[in-house]
């Protein structure tokens, strides 16, 4: 057992935290399914709601690397619609998340991931003109993205559904998600600090120790994404989401 910034952790806990940092870095440079795996991993150490506050600073650190590399690749026409609805979803998630226990918290995460898998698989099998490319669809996905981001840092699966449906090229997909999550994660900070009290100085200090591992993950993500074709990349995202769903149900 080791005590770090008032956290009493086993060596296994530390290994999980470092793995989460590595996967978080990878997720921000294109390996987005890796980010969905981090939620159940961190919840296994700190519990559902507490873990979301510990993961958030990790995500913000990693967002910096993602934007630095992919900042020129973004579909702003979609982001301008998503942002207001996502902000409303965060507020709704703050209210709901404060009133549920860890078991229900994990159930919401599992349902979110499984639903996303089903929709993403369906989207890959339908023609482009059948996909609802309108403001109502975008608003609904933005609301769902903000809500799931707040209650479990799981907006990655929701945004994958929306942005894959738009058939964005690989780099534009990554750049758009990088900007979306940079905005939404910063927006969530006051809610975690003042409403849920899940971000404190000791959580930030613990997260700061992981920055080198996040940077390593960001580099690995860039290498992996460069090696994948557009079609393989899309199915890669779906496959990683399936892994996250299995982890939530075991």
């Amino acid at each position: 057992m080791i005590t770090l910034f008032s956290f009493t952790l086993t060596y296994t806990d530390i290994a999980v935290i470092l793995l989460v940092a590595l996967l978080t870095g990878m997720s921000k440079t294109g390996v987005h399914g890796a980010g969905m795996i981090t939620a159940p991993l961190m919840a296994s150490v700190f519990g559902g709601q507490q873990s979301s506050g510990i993961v958030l600073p990790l995500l913000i650190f990693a967002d910096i690397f993602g934007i630095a590399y992919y900042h020129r690749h973004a579909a702003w026409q979609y982001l301008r619609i998503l942002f207001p609805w996502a902000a409303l979803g965060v507020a709704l998630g703050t209210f709901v998340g404060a009133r549920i226990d860890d078991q229900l918290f994990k159930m919401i995460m599992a349902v979110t991931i499984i639903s996303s898998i089903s929709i993403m698989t369906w989207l890959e099998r339908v023609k482009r003109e059948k996909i609802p490319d309108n403001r109502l669809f975008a608003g609904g996905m933005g609301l769902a993205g903000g809500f799931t981001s707040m209650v479990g840092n799981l907006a990655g699966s929701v945004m994958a559904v929306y942005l894959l449906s738009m058939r964005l090229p690989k780099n534009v997909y990554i750049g758009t998600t990088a900007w979306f999550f940079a905005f939404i994660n910063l927006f969530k900070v006051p809610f975690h600090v003042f409403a849920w009290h899940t971000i404190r100085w000791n959580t930030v200090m613990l997260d700061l120790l992981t920055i080198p591992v996040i940077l390593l993950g960001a580099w690995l993500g860039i290498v992996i994404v460069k090696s994948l074709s557009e079609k393989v990349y899309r199915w890669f995202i779906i496959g990683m989401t399936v892994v996250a769903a299995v982890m939530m149900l075991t």
Side-chain angles (χ1 to χ4, degrees):
M1 304 286 283
I2 296 177
T3 300
L4 286 173
F5 309 114
S6 78
F7 292 105
T8 301
L9 304 168
T10 66
Y11 289 107
T12 301
D13 293 337
I14 293 172
V16 169
I17 294 169
L18 294 177
L19 177 60
V20 166
L22 183 74
L23 294 173
T24 299
M26 293 171 64
S27 72
K28 296 302 180 177
T29 51
V31 189
H32 290 294
M36 293 170 234
I37 299 173
T38 62
L41 280 174
M42 198 64 103
S44 70
V45 177
F46 296 101
Q49 190 179 85
Q50 180 66 32
S51 67
S52 67
I54 295 174
V55 168
L56 184 56
L58 293 179
L59 295 172
I60 293 172
F61 298 151
D63 284 331
I64 296 171
F65 300 130
I67 287 178
Y69 194 82
Y70 289 104
H71 66 279
R72 292 173 296 177
H73 305 282
W76 286 98
Q77 68 271 30
Y78 300 121
L79 289 172
R80 281 191 288 268
I81 301 172
L82 289 170
F83 284 152
W85 289 100
L88 180 60
V90 168
L92 179 61
T94 302
F95 177 81
V96 173
R99 288 161 176 77
I100 59 178
D101 59 23
D102 267 358
Q103 190 60 36
L104 183 55
F105 198 97
K106 291 180 180 179
M107 182 63 68
I108 290 174
M109 288 194 286
V111 170
T112 298
I113 295 174
I114 293 169
S115 300
S116 299
I117 293 169
S118 301
I119 297 171
M120 282 189 287
T121 304
W122 174 75
L123 287 172
E124 288 302 305
R125 297 182 180 279
V126 299
K127 295 181 179 179
R128 176 64 179 85
E129 57 269 17
K130 292 184 179 179
I131 297 168
D133 184 5
N134 57 54
R135 285 180 175 270
L136 182 61
F137 178 59
M141 296 307 290
L143 184 68
F147 179 85
T148 54
S149 180
M150 189 65 198
V151 300
N153 292 313
L154 281 173
S157 60
V158 176
M159 286 300 99
V161 169
Y162 176 66
L163 296 175
L164 284 178
S165 75
M166 297 300 105
R167 308 297 190 199
L168 298 179
K170 181 172 62 177
N171 284 352
V172 177
Y173 172 91
I174 298 170
T176 303
T177 55
W179 280 108
F180 175 82
F181 287 113
F183 167 82
I184 208 68
N185 286 332
L186 286 172
F187 183 77
K188 284 158 48 181
V189 170
F191 295 93
H192 274 279
V193 174
F194 300 111
W196 284 5
H197 309 290
T198 50
I199 294 181
R200 300 179 298 275
W201 283 113
N202 62 331
T203 62
V204 175
M205 294 303 294
L206 179 66
D207 289 333
L208 284 172
L209 294 178
T210 68
I211 288 180
V213 184
I214 293 173
L215 183 58
L216 173 62
W219 175 78
L220 286 174
I222 292 170
V223 172
I224 291 171
V225 169
K226 282 184 176 179
S227 68
L228 301 177
S229 67
E230 296 282 349
K231 183 176 181 179
V232 171
Y233 177 71
R234 296 169 70 83
W235 282 105
F236 177 74
I237 293 172
I238 295 172
M240 292 294 287
T241 308
V242 171
V243 173
V246 171
M247 291 185 64
M248 286 304 305
L249 296 173
T250 57

